[in-house]
Amino acid sequence: MKINPHHYPQIQPTLNSQATKELGETQSSAPLRSAPVAAVDPVLGDAQKALQSLPEVDMARVAEMKQAISNGQLHVNLDDLTLSIQKYFQR
């Protein structure tokens, strides 16, 4: 038996149906979650709280590095740096 498109009628969506209105009301009245879910493991939860309290960039360390560079205290092997950059971008 060959199945062709005439065996099954096409379903046309309707925008004004009662089900669509009820679905829209249900979705709009549901509260949105804005806070992250608490961790299951209490140790992990404490670590997450500690991590959130830290700044993204340690500006004191950045200032130390700038000072070391300007004083000539930081020495960089340019050959090793070049190889590392090449390896990174060849991935």
Side-chain angles (χ1 to χ4, degrees):
M1 179 176 162
K2 184 177 180 181
I3 299 175
N4 59 38
H6 301 294
H7 281 92
Y8 301 102
Q10 293 290 328
I11 298 173
Q12 298 296 327
T14 58
L15 297 176
N16 295 329
S17 70
Q18 184 64 24
T20 305
K21 290 178 185 176
E22 290 173 2
L23 180 62
E25 290 171 3
T26 304
Q27 288 178 347
S28 65
S29 63
L32 297 176
R33 185 178 0 163
S34 60
V37 178
V40 175
D41 185 11
V43 175
L44 183 60
D46 293 341
Q48 286 175 335
K49 289 177 187 175
L51 184 62
Q52 288 174 352
S53 67
L54 294 175
E56 285 198 36
V57 177
D58 185 1
M59 294 309 292
R61 182 71 176 141
V62 171
E64 288 176 20
M65 294 300 292
K66 284 182 178 181
Q67 188 66 32
I69 292 170
S70 65
N71 291 341
Q73 297 171 343
L74 182 68
H75 300 286
V76 176
N77 184 338
L78 294 179
D79 293 331
D80 288 342
L81 178 62
T82 304
L83 288 174
S84 296
I85 292 171
Q86 286 177 341
K87 286 179 184 177
Y88 176 80
F89 284 106
Q90 287 178 352
R91 289 193 237 172

